[in-house]
Short mmCIF file of all heavy atoms in Angstrom, two decimals:
data_model
loop_
_atom_site.label_atom_id
_atom_site.label_comp_id
_atom_site.label_asym_id
_atom_site.label_seq_id
_atom_site.Cartn_x
_atom_site.Cartn_y
_atom_site.Cartn_z
N MET A 1 -5.05 -5.46 4.35
CA MET A 1 -4.34 -6.11 3.28
C MET A 1 -3.16 -6.85 3.89
O MET A 1 -2.45 -6.30 4.69
CB MET A 1 -3.88 -5.05 2.28
CG MET A 1 -3.27 -5.62 1.05
SD MET A 1 -2.93 -4.39 -0.17
CE MET A 1 -4.56 -4.01 -0.72
N ARG A 2 -2.97 -8.08 3.53
CA ARG A 2 -1.89 -8.89 4.08
C ARG A 2 -0.76 -8.99 3.06
O ARG A 2 -1.00 -9.18 1.88
CB ARG A 2 -2.39 -10.28 4.41
CG ARG A 2 -3.56 -10.26 5.37
CD ARG A 2 -3.97 -11.63 5.74
NE ARG A 2 -3.19 -11.96 6.93
CZ ARG A 2 -2.94 -13.18 7.33
NH1 ARG A 2 -3.36 -14.21 6.67
NH2 ARG A 2 -2.25 -13.38 8.43
N PHE A 3 0.46 -8.91 3.55
CA PHE A 3 1.61 -9.13 2.69
C PHE A 3 1.82 -10.64 2.58
O PHE A 3 1.95 -11.32 3.59
CB PHE A 3 2.85 -8.48 3.26
CG PHE A 3 2.75 -6.98 3.35
CD1 PHE A 3 3.28 -6.30 4.42
CD2 PHE A 3 2.11 -6.26 2.37
CE1 PHE A 3 3.19 -4.93 4.50
CE2 PHE A 3 2.02 -4.89 2.44
CZ PHE A 3 2.55 -4.22 3.51
N PRO A 4 1.88 -11.20 1.39
CA PRO A 4 1.95 -12.65 1.25
C PRO A 4 3.24 -13.27 1.77
O PRO A 4 3.22 -14.34 2.34
CB PRO A 4 1.80 -12.89 -0.25
CG PRO A 4 2.08 -11.59 -0.90
CD PRO A 4 1.82 -10.51 0.11
N GLU A 5 4.37 -12.63 1.58
CA GLU A 5 5.63 -13.18 2.04
C GLU A 5 6.67 -12.08 2.06
O GLU A 5 6.48 -11.03 1.48
CB GLU A 5 6.10 -14.32 1.14
CG GLU A 5 6.55 -13.88 -0.24
CD GLU A 5 5.44 -13.79 -1.26
OE1 GLU A 5 4.39 -14.37 -1.06
OE2 GLU A 5 5.65 -13.09 -2.25
N ALA A 6 7.77 -12.34 2.73
CA ALA A 6 8.87 -11.37 2.75
C ALA A 6 9.59 -11.44 1.40
O ALA A 6 9.84 -12.51 0.87
CB ALA A 6 9.83 -11.69 3.88
N LEU A 7 9.92 -10.29 0.86
CA LEU A 7 10.55 -10.23 -0.45
C LEU A 7 11.86 -9.48 -0.39
O LEU A 7 12.09 -8.68 0.50
CB LEU A 7 9.61 -9.51 -1.44
CG LEU A 7 8.26 -10.16 -1.66
CD1 LEU A 7 7.39 -9.28 -2.50
CD2 LEU A 7 8.45 -11.50 -2.34
N GLU A 8 12.71 -9.73 -1.34
CA GLU A 8 13.97 -9.01 -1.43
C GLU A 8 13.85 -7.77 -2.29
O GLU A 8 14.65 -6.87 -2.18
CB GLU A 8 15.04 -9.93 -2.01
CG GLU A 8 15.35 -11.11 -1.10
CD GLU A 8 16.36 -12.04 -1.73
OE1 GLU A 8 16.81 -11.75 -2.86
OE2 GLU A 8 16.71 -13.04 -1.11
N LYS A 9 12.89 -7.72 -3.17
CA LYS A 9 12.70 -6.57 -4.05
C LYS A 9 11.33 -5.96 -3.78
O LYS A 9 10.48 -6.57 -3.15
CB LYS A 9 12.79 -7.00 -5.51
CG LYS A 9 14.17 -7.56 -5.86
CD LYS A 9 14.22 -7.95 -7.30
CE LYS A 9 15.58 -8.51 -7.63
NZ LYS A 9 15.68 -8.93 -9.01
N GLY A 10 11.11 -4.76 -4.29
CA GLY A 10 9.83 -4.10 -4.09
C GLY A 10 8.70 -4.81 -4.82
O GLY A 10 8.92 -5.53 -5.79
N ARG A 11 7.50 -4.60 -4.34
CA ARG A 11 6.34 -5.24 -4.94
C ARG A 11 5.12 -4.36 -4.71
O ARG A 11 5.02 -3.68 -3.69
CB ARG A 11 6.12 -6.60 -4.31
CG ARG A 11 4.95 -7.33 -4.91
CD ARG A 11 4.88 -8.73 -4.39
NE ARG A 11 3.76 -9.39 -5.01
CZ ARG A 11 3.37 -10.59 -4.72
NH1 ARG A 11 3.99 -11.29 -3.81
NH2 ARG A 11 2.34 -11.12 -5.31
N THR A 12 4.20 -4.39 -5.64
CA THR A 12 2.94 -3.65 -5.51
C THR A 12 1.79 -4.64 -5.51
O THR A 12 1.70 -5.49 -6.38
CB THR A 12 2.77 -2.65 -6.66
OG1 THR A 12 3.86 -1.73 -6.64
CG2 THR A 12 1.47 -1.87 -6.52
N ILE A 13 0.92 -4.49 -4.52
CA ILE A 13 -0.30 -5.28 -4.44
C ILE A 13 -1.46 -4.32 -4.67
O ILE A 13 -1.55 -3.28 -4.02
CB ILE A 13 -0.45 -5.95 -3.07
CG1 ILE A 13 0.69 -6.93 -2.82
CG2 ILE A 13 -1.79 -6.67 -2.97
CD1 ILE A 13 0.69 -7.52 -1.43
N THR A 14 -2.35 -4.66 -5.59
CA THR A 14 -3.50 -3.81 -5.90
C THR A 14 -4.78 -4.61 -5.66
O THR A 14 -4.90 -5.73 -6.14
CB THR A 14 -3.45 -3.33 -7.36
OG1 THR A 14 -2.23 -2.62 -7.56
CG2 THR A 14 -4.61 -2.40 -7.67
N ARG A 15 -5.68 -4.02 -4.92
CA ARG A 15 -6.98 -4.64 -4.66
C ARG A 15 -8.08 -3.64 -4.99
O ARG A 15 -7.92 -2.44 -4.77
CB ARG A 15 -7.13 -5.03 -3.18
CG ARG A 15 -6.13 -6.02 -2.69
CD ARG A 15 -6.57 -7.44 -2.99
NE ARG A 15 -5.81 -8.41 -2.24
CZ ARG A 15 -4.66 -8.93 -2.60
NH1 ARG A 15 -4.10 -8.54 -3.71
NH2 ARG A 15 -4.05 -9.83 -1.86
N THR A 16 -9.18 -4.15 -5.50
CA THR A 16 -10.35 -3.31 -5.78
C THR A 16 -11.46 -3.73 -4.83
O THR A 16 -11.78 -4.91 -4.72
CB THR A 16 -10.79 -3.48 -7.24
OG1 THR A 16 -9.69 -3.14 -8.10
CG2 THR A 16 -11.96 -2.57 -7.57
N TYR A 17 -12.02 -2.74 -4.15
CA TYR A 17 -13.07 -3.00 -3.17
C TYR A 17 -14.38 -2.41 -3.68
O TYR A 17 -14.43 -1.26 -4.08
CB TYR A 17 -12.71 -2.39 -1.82
CG TYR A 17 -11.47 -2.99 -1.23
CD1 TYR A 17 -10.23 -2.38 -1.37
CD2 TYR A 17 -11.54 -4.20 -0.54
CE1 TYR A 17 -9.08 -2.95 -0.83
CE2 TYR A 17 -10.40 -4.78 0.00
CZ TYR A 17 -9.18 -4.15 -0.16
OH TYR A 17 -8.06 -4.72 0.37
N LYS A 18 -15.42 -3.22 -3.65
CA LYS A 18 -16.75 -2.77 -4.06
C LYS A 18 -17.52 -2.34 -2.81
O LYS A 18 -17.52 -3.05 -1.82
CB LYS A 18 -17.47 -3.89 -4.79
CG LYS A 18 -16.72 -4.31 -6.05
CD LYS A 18 -17.48 -5.33 -6.84
CE LYS A 18 -16.70 -5.85 -8.01
NZ LYS A 18 -16.19 -4.89 -8.92
N THR A 19 -18.15 -1.17 -2.87
CA THR A 19 -18.81 -0.61 -1.70
C THR A 19 -20.32 -0.53 -1.85
O THR A 19 -20.99 0.08 -1.02
CB THR A 19 -18.27 0.81 -1.43
OG1 THR A 19 -18.57 1.64 -2.54
CG2 THR A 19 -16.78 0.77 -1.17
N TYR A 20 -20.87 -1.11 -2.91
CA TYR A 20 -22.31 -1.03 -3.14
C TYR A 20 -23.06 -1.56 -1.93
O TYR A 20 -22.66 -2.58 -1.39
CB TYR A 20 -22.70 -1.82 -4.40
CG TYR A 20 -24.15 -1.66 -4.77
CD1 TYR A 20 -24.56 -0.56 -5.48
CD2 TYR A 20 -25.09 -2.59 -4.36
CE1 TYR A 20 -25.89 -0.39 -5.80
CE2 TYR A 20 -26.42 -2.43 -4.68
CZ TYR A 20 -26.81 -1.33 -5.39
OH TYR A 20 -28.13 -1.14 -5.70
N PRO A 21 -24.04 -0.94 -1.42
CA PRO A 21 -24.86 0.18 -1.88
C PRO A 21 -24.38 1.55 -1.41
O PRO A 21 -25.10 2.53 -1.51
CB PRO A 21 -26.23 -0.13 -1.30
CG PRO A 21 -25.93 -0.77 0.01
CD PRO A 21 -24.67 -1.56 -0.23
N TYR A 22 -23.17 1.65 -0.89
CA TYR A 22 -22.67 2.93 -0.37
C TYR A 22 -21.80 3.61 -1.42
O TYR A 22 -20.86 3.02 -1.93
CB TYR A 22 -21.87 2.71 0.92
CG TYR A 22 -22.65 1.98 1.97
CD1 TYR A 22 -22.42 0.63 2.22
CD2 TYR A 22 -23.65 2.63 2.68
CE1 TYR A 22 -23.15 -0.04 3.17
CE2 TYR A 22 -24.38 1.96 3.64
CZ TYR A 22 -24.13 0.63 3.88
OH TYR A 22 -24.87 -0.04 4.83
N ARG A 23 -22.12 4.87 -1.70
CA ARG A 23 -21.34 5.65 -2.66
C ARG A 23 -20.07 6.16 -2.00
O ARG A 23 -20.07 6.52 -0.83
CB ARG A 23 -22.15 6.84 -3.18
CG ARG A 23 -23.33 6.44 -4.03
CD ARG A 23 -24.10 7.67 -4.48
NE ARG A 23 -23.30 8.51 -5.36
CZ ARG A 23 -23.31 8.43 -6.69
NH1 ARG A 23 -24.07 7.55 -7.28
NH2 ARG A 23 -22.56 9.23 -7.41
N VAL A 24 -18.99 6.20 -2.76
CA VAL A 24 -17.72 6.72 -2.27
C VAL A 24 -17.50 8.10 -2.87
O VAL A 24 -17.54 8.28 -4.08
CB VAL A 24 -16.56 5.78 -2.67
CG1 VAL A 24 -15.23 6.37 -2.24
CG2 VAL A 24 -16.75 4.41 -2.07
N TYR A 25 -17.31 9.08 -2.00
CA TYR A 25 -17.04 10.44 -2.46
C TYR A 25 -15.58 10.82 -2.29
O TYR A 25 -15.08 11.70 -2.96
CB TYR A 25 -17.91 11.44 -1.68
CG TYR A 25 -19.38 11.24 -1.94
CD1 TYR A 25 -20.17 10.56 -1.02
CD2 TYR A 25 -19.97 11.71 -3.09
CE1 TYR A 25 -21.52 10.36 -1.25
CE2 TYR A 25 -21.32 11.52 -3.33
CZ TYR A 25 -22.09 10.84 -2.41
OH TYR A 25 -23.41 10.65 -2.65
N GLN A 26 -14.89 10.16 -1.36
CA GLN A 26 -13.49 10.47 -1.09
C GLN A 26 -12.81 9.21 -0.55
O GLN A 26 -13.39 8.48 0.25
CB GLN A 26 -13.39 11.59 -0.05
CG GLN A 26 -11.99 11.98 0.29
CD GLN A 26 -11.95 13.10 1.31
OE1 GLN A 26 -12.98 13.71 1.61
NE2 GLN A 26 -10.79 13.38 1.84
N ALA A 27 -11.58 8.98 -1.01
CA ALA A 27 -10.80 7.85 -0.51
C ALA A 27 -9.40 8.35 -0.18
O ALA A 27 -8.77 9.01 -0.98
CB ALA A 27 -10.72 6.75 -1.56
N THR A 28 -8.96 8.05 1.04
CA THR A 28 -7.66 8.51 1.50
C THR A 28 -6.94 7.34 2.14
O THR A 28 -7.53 6.55 2.87
CB THR A 28 -7.82 9.63 2.55
OG1 THR A 28 -8.62 10.66 1.99
CG2 THR A 28 -6.49 10.20 2.95
N SER A 29 -5.65 7.23 1.87
CA SER A 29 -4.87 6.16 2.51
C SER A 29 -4.24 6.71 3.78
O SER A 29 -3.82 7.86 3.85
CB SER A 29 -3.80 5.65 1.55
OG SER A 29 -2.95 6.70 1.17
N VAL A 30 -4.20 5.87 4.79
CA VAL A 30 -3.66 6.28 6.08
C VAL A 30 -2.13 6.28 6.04
O VAL A 30 -1.49 7.20 6.53
CB VAL A 30 -4.16 5.35 7.19
CG1 VAL A 30 -3.55 5.71 8.52
CG2 VAL A 30 -5.67 5.42 7.28
N ILE A 31 -1.55 5.25 5.46
CA ILE A 31 -0.10 5.18 5.35
C ILE A 31 0.28 5.82 4.02
O ILE A 31 -0.14 5.38 2.97
CB ILE A 31 0.39 3.72 5.37
CG1 ILE A 31 0.02 3.07 6.69
CG2 ILE A 31 1.88 3.65 5.13
CD1 ILE A 31 0.35 1.61 6.76
N SER A 32 1.07 6.86 4.11
CA SER A 32 1.44 7.56 2.88
C SER A 32 2.92 7.88 2.90
O SER A 32 3.34 8.93 3.34
CB SER A 32 0.61 8.84 2.76
OG SER A 32 0.90 9.49 1.55
N GLY A 33 3.72 6.94 2.48
CA GLY A 33 5.16 7.16 2.36
C GLY A 33 5.92 6.95 3.65
O GLY A 33 6.38 7.91 4.25
N ILE A 34 6.06 5.72 4.09
CA ILE A 34 6.85 5.40 5.27
C ILE A 34 8.16 4.79 4.80
O ILE A 34 8.17 3.89 3.97
CB ILE A 34 6.10 4.42 6.20
CG1 ILE A 34 4.91 5.12 6.83
CG2 ILE A 34 7.03 3.88 7.26
CD1 ILE A 34 4.13 4.26 7.76
N ASP A 35 9.23 5.27 5.34
CA ASP A 35 10.57 4.75 5.02
C ASP A 35 11.31 4.66 6.34
O ASP A 35 11.61 5.67 6.96
CB ASP A 35 11.28 5.70 4.05
CG ASP A 35 12.61 5.17 3.58
OD1 ASP A 35 12.96 4.03 3.93
OD2 ASP A 35 13.30 5.91 2.85
N TYR A 36 11.60 3.46 6.80
CA TYR A 36 12.26 3.32 8.09
C TYR A 36 13.33 2.23 8.03
O TYR A 36 13.34 1.40 7.14
CB TYR A 36 11.26 3.02 9.20
CG TYR A 36 10.49 1.74 9.03
CD1 TYR A 36 10.95 0.56 9.61
CD2 TYR A 36 9.30 1.70 8.31
CE1 TYR A 36 10.26 -0.61 9.46
CE2 TYR A 36 8.61 0.52 8.16
CZ TYR A 36 9.09 -0.63 8.74
OH TYR A 36 8.40 -1.79 8.58
N GLY A 37 14.20 2.26 8.99
CA GLY A 37 15.29 1.30 9.08
C GLY A 37 16.56 2.03 9.46
O GLY A 37 16.54 3.17 9.92
N PHE A 38 17.69 1.37 9.29
CA PHE A 38 18.97 1.98 9.60
C PHE A 38 19.33 3.00 8.54
O PHE A 38 19.01 2.84 7.38
CB PHE A 38 20.07 0.92 9.69
CG PHE A 38 19.83 -0.11 10.75
CD1 PHE A 38 19.84 -1.45 10.43
CD2 PHE A 38 19.59 0.26 12.05
CE1 PHE A 38 19.62 -2.41 11.40
CE2 PHE A 38 19.37 -0.68 13.03
CZ PHE A 38 19.38 -2.02 12.71
N SER A 39 20.01 4.05 8.95
CA SER A 39 20.46 5.04 7.98
C SER A 39 21.66 4.51 7.21
O SER A 39 22.25 3.48 7.57
CB SER A 39 20.83 6.35 8.70
OG SER A 39 21.98 6.14 9.49
N ASP A 40 22.05 5.19 6.15
CA ASP A 40 23.20 4.76 5.36
C ASP A 40 24.49 4.80 6.19
O ASP A 40 25.39 4.00 5.97
CB ASP A 40 23.35 5.63 4.11
CG ASP A 40 22.25 5.35 3.10
OD1 ASP A 40 21.70 4.23 3.14
OD2 ASP A 40 21.96 6.23 2.29
N GLU A 41 24.56 5.71 7.16
CA GLU A 41 25.73 5.78 8.02
C GLU A 41 25.81 4.56 8.95
O GLU A 41 26.88 4.08 9.29
CB GLU A 41 25.74 7.07 8.86
CG GLU A 41 25.91 8.33 8.05
CD GLU A 41 24.59 8.80 7.44
OE1 GLU A 41 23.52 8.52 8.01
OE2 GLU A 41 24.65 9.44 6.38
N GLU A 42 24.65 4.08 9.41
CA GLU A 42 24.62 2.93 10.32
C GLU A 42 24.80 1.61 9.58
O GLU A 42 25.10 0.60 10.18
CB GLU A 42 23.29 2.90 11.07
CG GLU A 42 23.09 4.08 11.98
CD GLU A 42 21.69 4.12 12.54
OE1 GLU A 42 20.73 3.88 11.79
OE2 GLU A 42 21.56 4.42 13.74
N GLY A 43 24.61 1.64 8.31
CA GLY A 43 24.71 0.42 7.51
C GLY A 43 23.40 0.19 6.78
O GLY A 43 22.33 0.48 7.29
N MET A 44 23.50 -0.32 5.58
CA MET A 44 22.30 -0.46 4.75
C MET A 44 21.73 -1.87 4.80
O MET A 44 21.23 -2.38 3.82
CB MET A 44 22.62 -0.06 3.32
CG MET A 44 23.77 -0.77 2.71
SD MET A 44 24.06 -0.12 1.09
CE MET A 44 25.48 -1.06 0.64
N PHE A 45 21.82 -2.52 5.95
CA PHE A 45 21.37 -3.90 6.05
C PHE A 45 19.87 -4.02 6.26
O PHE A 45 19.30 -5.04 5.98
CB PHE A 45 22.13 -4.61 7.16
CG PHE A 45 23.59 -4.68 6.90
CD1 PHE A 45 24.47 -3.95 7.66
CD2 PHE A 45 24.07 -5.44 5.85
CE1 PHE A 45 25.83 -4.01 7.41
CE2 PHE A 45 25.43 -5.50 5.58
CZ PHE A 45 26.31 -4.77 6.37
N PHE A 46 19.22 -3.00 6.78
CA PHE A 46 17.78 -3.06 6.99
C PHE A 46 17.15 -1.76 6.54
O PHE A 46 17.51 -0.69 7.00
CB PHE A 46 17.44 -3.31 8.46
CG PHE A 46 15.99 -3.14 8.77
CD1 PHE A 46 15.06 -4.06 8.31
CD2 PHE A 46 15.55 -2.05 9.48
CE1 PHE A 46 13.71 -3.89 8.58
CE2 PHE A 46 14.21 -1.88 9.76
CZ PHE A 46 13.29 -2.80 9.31
N ARG A 47 16.23 -1.86 5.63
CA ARG A 47 15.47 -0.70 5.17
C ARG A 47 14.13 -1.20 4.70
O ARG A 47 14.04 -2.21 4.00
CB ARG A 47 16.18 0.00 4.01
CG ARG A 47 15.57 1.32 3.73
CD ARG A 47 16.47 2.28 4.33
NE ARG A 47 16.24 3.64 4.46
CZ ARG A 47 16.17 4.22 5.64
NH1 ARG A 47 16.14 3.54 6.72
NH2 ARG A 47 16.15 5.50 5.75
N SER A 48 13.07 -0.52 5.05
CA SER A 48 11.72 -0.88 4.63
C SER A 48 11.01 0.37 4.13
O SER A 48 11.11 1.43 4.72
CB SER A 48 10.97 -1.48 5.82
OG SER A 48 9.67 -1.81 5.42
N THR A 49 10.32 0.21 3.03
CA THR A 49 9.58 1.31 2.44
C THR A 49 8.15 0.84 2.15
O THR A 49 7.96 -0.22 1.58
CB THR A 49 10.22 1.76 1.11
OG1 THR A 49 11.62 1.85 1.28
CG2 THR A 49 9.70 3.10 0.67
N ILE A 50 7.17 1.65 2.55
CA ILE A 50 5.77 1.33 2.29
C ILE A 50 5.10 2.61 1.79
O ILE A 50 5.25 3.67 2.37
CB ILE A 50 5.04 0.84 3.55
CG1 ILE A 50 5.73 -0.41 4.11
CG2 ILE A 50 3.58 0.55 3.25
CD1 ILE A 50 5.20 -0.85 5.45
N ASP A 51 4.33 2.48 0.71
CA ASP A 51 3.59 3.61 0.17
C ASP A 51 2.24 3.10 -0.32
O ASP A 51 2.15 2.00 -0.87
CB ASP A 51 4.36 4.26 -0.98
CG ASP A 51 3.76 5.58 -1.40
OD1 ASP A 51 3.11 6.23 -0.56
OD2 ASP A 51 3.92 5.95 -2.57
N THR A 52 1.18 3.86 -0.08
CA THR A 52 -0.15 3.46 -0.53
C THR A 52 -0.77 4.55 -1.38
O THR A 52 -0.47 5.73 -1.21
CB THR A 52 -1.08 3.17 0.67
OG1 THR A 52 -1.20 4.36 1.45
CG2 THR A 52 -0.56 2.05 1.53
N LYS A 53 -1.63 4.12 -2.29
CA LYS A 53 -2.37 5.04 -3.14
C LYS A 53 -3.80 4.55 -3.26
O LYS A 53 -4.05 3.34 -3.28
CB LYS A 53 -1.75 5.13 -4.53
CG LYS A 53 -0.36 5.70 -4.53
CD LYS A 53 0.21 5.71 -5.91
CE LYS A 53 1.64 6.22 -5.81
NZ LYS A 53 2.36 6.08 -7.04
N THR A 54 -4.73 5.48 -3.30
CA THR A 54 -6.13 5.12 -3.50
C THR A 54 -6.66 5.82 -4.74
O THR A 54 -6.22 6.92 -5.08
CB THR A 54 -6.99 5.53 -2.29
OG1 THR A 54 -6.82 6.93 -2.06
CG2 THR A 54 -6.62 4.77 -1.05
N GLN A 55 -7.59 5.17 -5.41
CA GLN A 55 -8.20 5.73 -6.60
C GLN A 55 -9.66 5.31 -6.63
O GLN A 55 -9.97 4.12 -6.47
CB GLN A 55 -7.48 5.23 -7.85
CG GLN A 55 -8.12 5.68 -9.14
CD GLN A 55 -7.48 5.01 -10.34
OE1 GLN A 55 -6.60 4.16 -10.22
NE2 GLN A 55 -7.92 5.40 -11.51
N ILE A 56 -10.55 6.26 -6.84
CA ILE A 56 -11.96 5.96 -6.98
C ILE A 56 -12.20 5.59 -8.44
O ILE A 56 -12.03 6.42 -9.34
CB ILE A 56 -12.84 7.14 -6.55
CG1 ILE A 56 -12.61 7.45 -5.07
CG2 ILE A 56 -14.31 6.85 -6.82
CD1 ILE A 56 -13.33 8.67 -4.57
N VAL A 57 -12.57 4.33 -8.67
CA VAL A 57 -12.80 3.85 -10.04
C VAL A 57 -14.16 4.32 -10.52
O VAL A 57 -14.30 4.81 -11.64
CB VAL A 57 -12.69 2.31 -10.09
CG1 VAL A 57 -12.96 1.79 -11.48
CG2 VAL A 57 -11.33 1.86 -9.60
N ASN A 58 -15.17 4.16 -9.71
CA ASN A 58 -16.52 4.67 -9.95
C ASN A 58 -17.14 4.89 -8.58
O ASN A 58 -16.52 4.59 -7.57
CB ASN A 58 -17.32 3.72 -10.86
CG ASN A 58 -17.57 2.37 -10.24
OD1 ASN A 58 -18.02 2.27 -9.12
ND2 ASN A 58 -17.26 1.31 -10.97
N PRO A 59 -18.35 5.44 -8.50
CA PRO A 59 -18.92 5.76 -7.17
C PRO A 59 -19.06 4.57 -6.22
O PRO A 59 -19.23 4.75 -5.03
CB PRO A 59 -20.29 6.34 -7.50
CG PRO A 59 -20.15 6.87 -8.88
CD PRO A 59 -19.20 5.95 -9.58
N TYR A 60 -18.96 3.34 -6.73
CA TYR A 60 -19.12 2.16 -5.89
C TYR A 60 -17.88 1.26 -5.87
O TYR A 60 -17.96 0.12 -5.45
CB TYR A 60 -20.33 1.35 -6.36
CG TYR A 60 -21.61 2.14 -6.30
CD1 TYR A 60 -22.18 2.64 -7.46
CD2 TYR A 60 -22.23 2.41 -5.09
CE1 TYR A 60 -23.35 3.38 -7.41
CE2 TYR A 60 -23.39 3.15 -5.04
CZ TYR A 60 -23.95 3.63 -6.21
OH TYR A 60 -25.10 4.36 -6.15
N GLU A 61 -16.74 1.78 -6.31
CA GLU A 61 -15.53 0.97 -6.39
C GLU A 61 -14.30 1.80 -6.07
O GLU A 61 -14.13 2.91 -6.58
CB GLU A 61 -15.37 0.42 -7.80
CG GLU A 61 -15.24 -1.06 -7.88
CD GLU A 61 -15.20 -1.52 -9.33
OE1 GLU A 61 -15.99 -1.06 -10.15
OE2 GLU A 61 -14.32 -2.34 -9.61
N VAL A 62 -13.42 1.26 -5.21
CA VAL A 62 -12.18 1.94 -4.84
C VAL A 62 -11.02 0.99 -5.09
O VAL A 62 -11.08 -0.19 -4.72
CB VAL A 62 -12.20 2.35 -3.34
CG1 VAL A 62 -10.88 2.97 -2.95
CG2 VAL A 62 -13.33 3.29 -3.06
N LYS A 63 -9.97 1.49 -5.71
CA LYS A 63 -8.76 0.70 -5.95
C LYS A 63 -7.69 1.17 -4.98
O LYS A 63 -7.41 2.36 -4.87
CB LYS A 63 -8.27 0.88 -7.38
CG LYS A 63 -7.08 0.02 -7.71
CD LYS A 63 -6.46 0.36 -9.05
CE LYS A 63 -7.40 0.07 -10.18
NZ LYS A 63 -6.75 0.29 -11.49
N VAL A 64 -7.09 0.22 -4.25
CA VAL A 64 -6.04 0.51 -3.28
C VAL A 64 -4.76 -0.20 -3.74
O VAL A 64 -4.79 -1.42 -3.97
CB VAL A 64 -6.43 0.04 -1.87
CG1 VAL A 64 -5.31 0.33 -0.88
CG2 VAL A 64 -7.72 0.71 -1.42
N SER A 65 -3.67 0.54 -3.85
CA SER A 65 -2.38 -0.04 -4.22
C SER A 65 -1.39 0.17 -3.08
O SER A 65 -1.25 1.28 -2.57
CB SER A 65 -1.82 0.63 -5.48
OG SER A 65 -2.69 0.44 -6.55
N VAL A 66 -0.73 -0.91 -2.68
CA VAL A 66 0.29 -0.85 -1.63
C VAL A 66 1.61 -1.30 -2.25
O VAL A 66 1.71 -2.39 -2.79
CB VAL A 66 -0.06 -1.78 -0.44
CG1 VAL A 66 1.04 -1.74 0.61
CG2 VAL A 66 -1.40 -1.41 0.16
N THR A 67 2.60 -0.41 -2.20
CA THR A 67 3.93 -0.73 -2.69
C THR A 67 4.85 -0.85 -1.49
O THR A 67 4.88 0.03 -0.64
CB THR A 67 4.45 0.38 -3.63
OG1 THR A 67 3.52 0.54 -4.70
CG2 THR A 67 5.81 0.02 -4.19
N PHE A 68 5.57 -1.97 -1.42
CA PHE A 68 6.47 -2.16 -0.28
C PHE A 68 7.74 -2.82 -0.75
O PHE A 68 7.78 -3.50 -1.77
CB PHE A 68 5.80 -3.00 0.83
CG PHE A 68 5.42 -4.38 0.41
CD1 PHE A 68 6.24 -5.45 0.72
CD2 PHE A 68 4.24 -4.62 -0.27
CE1 PHE A 68 5.89 -6.73 0.34
CE2 PHE A 68 3.88 -5.91 -0.65
CZ PHE A 68 4.72 -6.95 -0.35
N GLY A 69 8.78 -2.59 -0.01
CA GLY A 69 10.07 -3.18 -0.35
C GLY A 69 10.94 -3.30 0.89
O GLY A 69 10.81 -2.53 1.83
N PHE A 70 11.79 -4.32 0.89
CA PHE A 70 12.70 -4.57 1.99
C PHE A 70 14.11 -4.77 1.43
O PHE A 70 14.26 -5.30 0.35
CB PHE A 70 12.31 -5.83 2.77
CG PHE A 70 10.94 -5.77 3.33
CD1 PHE A 70 9.90 -6.44 2.70
CD2 PHE A 70 10.66 -5.07 4.48
CE1 PHE A 70 8.62 -6.40 3.21
CE2 PHE A 70 9.39 -5.02 5.00
CZ PHE A 70 8.37 -5.69 4.37
N ARG A 71 15.10 -4.32 2.15
CA ARG A 71 16.48 -4.64 1.77
C ARG A 71 17.31 -4.80 3.01
O ARG A 71 16.96 -4.36 4.07
CB ARG A 71 17.08 -3.60 0.85
CG ARG A 71 17.34 -2.28 1.52
CD ARG A 71 18.16 -1.39 0.64
NE ARG A 71 18.14 -0.09 1.30
CZ ARG A 71 19.11 0.76 1.25
NH1 ARG A 71 20.14 0.54 0.53
NH2 ARG A 71 19.05 1.90 1.88
#
């Protein structure tokens, strides 16, 4: 999944992937809650947060949501 542009506020991108003829029994996201950048003591000029969620819509469809934000 590509991030379209750098943003100042958080944003969620949701994509649905069709897997026919393969059935989906389990969907797991690899990135699950990353928060990195300078700490509040070092200054709040750079902070990035990324979180992903997966949902099986039906046996042949998976929905992936990526929420990211920069400050």
Side-chain angles (χ1 to χ4, degrees):
M1 186 173 288
R2 303 184 90 202
F3 297 142
E5 70 273 341
L7 299 173
E8 295 177 0
K9 297 181 180 179
R11 181 173 181 184
T12 300
I13 298 174
T14 302
R15 299 275 195 273
T16 302
Y17 297 98
K18 300 185 185 306
T19 62
Y20 186 82
Y22 304 103
R23 292 179 65 93
V24 176
Y25 296 101
Q26 180 180 349
T28 305
S29 59
V30 177
I31 299 175
S32 183
I34 291 181
D35 185 4
Y36 62 93
F38 299 126
S39 68
D40 289 336
E41 293 82 28
E42 295 171 317
M44 54 184 178
F45 297 111
F46 169 70
R47 192 101 188 118
S48 179
T49 315
I50 301 172
D51 191 27
T52 60
K53 296 178 184 171
T54 56
Q55 176 187 3
I56 298 175
V57 179
N58 64 50
Y60 300 104
E61 235 175 315
V62 176
K63 184 189 295 185
V64 179
S65 299
V66 178
T67 303
F68 62 98
F70 301 101
R71 69 170 171 149

